Amino acid sequence: RRSSAHPPGGAKTKERADKIATADKALQDYAPTLAGKPAEYESALTPADRAVVWQSVEIKDLKSTGGTKLEKLKDDSVLARGGETENPEYTITLETALTNITGLKIEVLPHESLPAFGPGRKDGNFVLNEVKLDWISRDNTNAKAKLMPAKFAELKADFVQKDHDLKHVVDGKTDQGKDEGWAIQGGGMGAPHWLALKLEQPVSAPAGAKITI
């Protein structure tokens, strides 16, 4: 009859217990370092890692042409109603405490009052012909001070209608036709979409900025 110093399976059981004990100790040793991990992670981020953080800004004023009425909704989105022209001009005044603005993001949203749920007002479609951005420091109290124009360097959208080129959105031609600009027909209607415009130079003001779009 054979005998053993360990019962059947005893060596494997001890090996498993040792591994668990080692893992538990490693976890206990690591736990006290967790508090400092966020700062350690942030310090290792490169400028590219920190590139874009989108933030909504406060709407101060809304104006439009052609009889179109702009209504600020409870969620801070803006709804256009009525009007007699196919190409109204919208002017939106914003104010923000942000001090280093590197881009603008325009989101178009569906709404139950719009044809085909929108987001556009022409069978759900729209054409955004031109976008301009002017700004001034928020602490400038001179009523006669001129706004400074900002230039856009790069544009991206999640969907663009065939045969439409985003370059026309910032080419400085406000009187161009309905086929030039950002549009979404051909698969983009009835859903939210976005257009992101990167600034050539940041809007940089220590006190924040007043912005007209």
Side-chain angles (χ1 to χ4, degrees):
R1 180 181 180 181
R2 293 185 298 174
S3 62
S4 174
H6 301 285
K12 290 185 179 180
T13 301
K14 183 178 184 305
E15 182 182 355
R16 189 182 301 113
D18 288 344
K19 288 182 178 180
I20 293 173
T22 300
D24 284 343
K25 186 177 185 309
L27 182 60
Q28 291 171 7
D29 292 342
Y30 182 75
T33 71
L34 289 175
K37 289 297 178 182
E40 180 183 332
Y41 171 76
E42 290 180 9
S43 67
L45 291 176
T46 66
D49 295 326
R50 302 174 183 267
V52 178
V53 178
W54 295 110
Q55 296 190 33
S56 59
V57 293
E58 181 182 3
I59 297 175
K60 285 292 187 179
D61 190 39
L62 295 166
K63 293 179 181 178
S64 62
T65 63
T68 301
K69 293 183 178 180
L70 300 180
E71 178 188 356
K72 182 180 175 182
L73 304 182
K74 291 181 179 180
D75 62 357
D76 287 335
S77 62
V78 177
L79 180 64
R81 299 181 186 272
E84 301 172 356
T85 176
E86 230 179 58
N87 296 303
E89 191 172 296
Y90 303 150
T91 302
I92 302 173
T93 303
L94 311 170
E95 189 168 321
T96 177
L98 295 174
T99 59
N100 190 52
I101 300 170
T102 58
L104 170 69
K105 187 176 186 179
I106 298 173
E107 295 179 305
V108 290
L109 307 174
H111 193 272
E112 59 185 8
S113 69
L114 298 173
F117 291 97
R121 303 174 64 208
K122 183 70 173 178
D123 299 324
N125 195 21
F126 64 88
V127 180
L128 180 61
N129 299 116
E130 190 72 22
V131 175
K132 296 197 300 180
L133 187 154
D134 300 288
W135 69 281
I136 195 169
S137 178
R138 195 168 60 151
D139 62 357
N140 191 321
T141 58
N142 184 354
K144 295 183 179 180
K146 292 185 177 181
L147 299 178
M148 294 176 285
K151 293 183 178 181
F152 296 105
E154 183 181 345
L155 284 75
K156 291 182 180 179
D158 67 331
F159 185 89
V160 181
Q161 183 174 320
K162 184 180 178 181
D163 297 328
H164 283 63
D165 195 326
L166 293 181
K167 69 180 182 182
H168 293 300
V169 177
V170 292
D171 62 4
K173 300 177 181 178
T174 57
D175 59 348
Q176 56 199 4
K178 62 182 181 180
D179 292 329
E180 296 181 349
W182 180 38
I184 59 166
Q185 190 173 29
M189 295 181 292
H193 295 285
W194 56 262
L195 170 68
L197 304 94
K198 181 181 178 181
L199 288 167
E200 198 172 88
Q201 297 292 332
V203 169
S204 183
K210 296 176 184 178
I211 300 171
T212 299
I213 299 170

